[in-house]
Every structure is written in structure tokens, then in C-alpha cells.
Amino acid sequence: MTSPSPFASAPSTGPVRVFLLDDHEVVRRGVRDLLEAEEDIVVVGEAADAREALARVPAVRPDVAVLDVRLGASGGDHEGVTVCRELRAELPGLACLMLTSFDDDEALFDAIMAGAAGYVLKQIGGSDLVAAVRTVATGRSLLDPRMTERVMARIRGTDAAPREAAPAELDRLSPRELEILDLIGLGLTNRQIAERLFLAEKTVKNRVSSILGKLGVGRRIQAAMIAERFREQHAHDLP
């Protein structure tokens, strides 16, 4: 007896509006042709880079954004995950389906923390990709159980980090950096932090880079966890 596919199709109530982000035109064209062959799916827009996607998606209001995790020639950064985080901050109802050529725990971890509804490899079969789009369009989460288990194991390992580490690390930060770190811990994007503190978004981006360097961490989620440990400790210290 075979196990059910994790990409089981969900009932659709109407045409699913999809936006595509991938820096390879051939990939975009292939995914577009695949999806538009379905009567209940329409591709309403596409982009080749993050800036294009952030400008176009709010204008066309898709139900699902299919986002390539790695953009650019090097593919070193998870820029598609950043696009997911920014779009979800502006359009909370948008379902982001992350698409990548790499079986990458780091990217999967970041995608889950950014609020992605699903994460699939480009090696996925065409019918499974169509079903995945339909599924996340209904508001359901779609993550391969094997991938999710690896991420859950990683989160448990991260949560086991020493609680005593936070105060010494935070001594290196200025009052303004502590303020920004606290907002990172609350899950705010650079744009939201800039609006909250009346700063330029570029200024916030530079401050975040400085914070990560001073804390000795490479990723935003690690800084957020340090902020959360510090916040919890101060809550326990209150009379």
C-alpha cells in the first residue's frame, strides 16, 4: 500500500490567481505554461527579481505567489524568502509557495519563519505542483513532512541554546540597536521597523547588519531568538 502524496489536491472554489518569481525565464515560462493549462488557474503576473516582485504583486493581488528561493547568478542568498516576508507583511492573505532546486534546511527554516505556506523542490512532478498551488490557495499549509521534521529538530536544538548568553551579547549594542533588535524579535520587517521608528529603510537595513555582527550571528532569526531570551529573562526579574 503506497502512502498518500503530501501534495493532495484541495477543492477549489474559483480561479486561482498566481504570481511567479524566478530569475530564469525558461523556468518561469515552463511553470506558467503548466499552470495555465489548468482551467481553474490563471497566472496574473511574473517577475525576474525581488524588486520587480515587490512592486508588481500588490498591484495584481494574486492568491498565490510561487517564489524561487535563490535569485541572482550566485544563488547564495535566500532572497525569495525575504520577498515572502515582505509580501506577507503587506498582504497577510497571500499564500507563498517556495520553489527551489536545492534541498536546503537553512532555506526551509527561513521560509517557515517568513510565513511561507509551502516549500517544494523544482524536481516535483507537474501534477504535484499544480495540486500544491491549489492547496495553498485554500489557506492550508503544505510542507513535505520529511522536510518539516528536519526543521522542527533544528528549532528544538536552537531553543536549547544557553539562556545566559543574551545579556553579555546585548551589552555590545547601542540603545537604538537594542530598540531595533526588540522589534526584530517581534517579527517586524525592515520596512515595518523603519515606519515604527521614523527611519529610512536603508538605515534600518544597515543597523540590522551591525546588530548581527555585534551579536556574532549570521541570520535574523538567531538575533530574534536572542531578543526573546532577553525579554523573557527581564520578565522573570520583575517584582
Side-chain angles (χ1 to χ4, degrees), residues 95-174:
C96 293
L97 180 63
M98 311 308 298
L99 189 63
T100 181
S101 301
F102 304 91
D103 190 357
D104 183 345
D105 286 353
E106 289 281 344
L108 177 56
F109 183 89
D110 288 345
I112 290 175
M113 300 306 295
Y119 182 102
V120 295
L121 301 179
K122 287 183 179 178
Q123 292 89 333
I124 187 175
S127 60
D128 279 344
L129 178 58
V130 170
V133 167
R134 289 182 178 133
T135 298
V136 299
T138 67
R140 295 166 56 196
S141 177
L142 188 154
L143 291 162
D144 186 317
R146 291 167 297 181
M147 295 182 185
T148 306
E149 177 55 33
R150 291 204 306 272
V151 170
M152 291 303 104
R154 182 190 178 112
I155 291 174
R156 287 193 291 269
T158 305
D159 287 344
R163 297 179 62 87
E164 297 76 21
E169 292 162 336
L170 294 177
D171 284 343
R172 305 169 191 160
L173 305 185
S174 69

Side-chain angles (χ1 to χ4, degrees), residues 19-78:
F19 189 95
L20 305 177
L21 168 63
D22 197 296
D23 56 336
H24 294 97
E25 181 183 359
V26 172
V27 174
R28 290 200 314 274
R29 185 176 299 176
V31 174
R32 173 188 279 274
D33 290 347
L34 174 69
L35 296 178
E36 290 198 327
E38 304 296 318
E39 294 183 358
D40 61 333
I41 298 176
V42 57
V43 176
V44 295
E46 60 182 69
D49 58 47
R51 180 176 298 180
E52 221 179 350
L54 292 172
R56 293 182 179 180
V57 170
V60 298
R61 297 277 170 168
D63 302 305
V64 176
V66 179
L67 309 175
D68 185 14
V69 169
R70 294 172 181 260
L71 302 171
S74 67
D77 295 325
H78 303 151

Side-chain angles (χ1 to χ4, degrees), residues 76-104:
D77 295 325
H78 303 151
E79 195 173 2
V81 175
T82 301
V83 172
C84 171
R85 184 181 298 110
E86 295 284 337
L87 290 177
R88 292 270 303 159
E90 186 170 353
L91 303 169
L94 176 67
C96 293
L97 180 63
M98 311 308 298
L99 189 63
T100 181
S101 301
F102 304 91
D103 190 357
D104 183 345

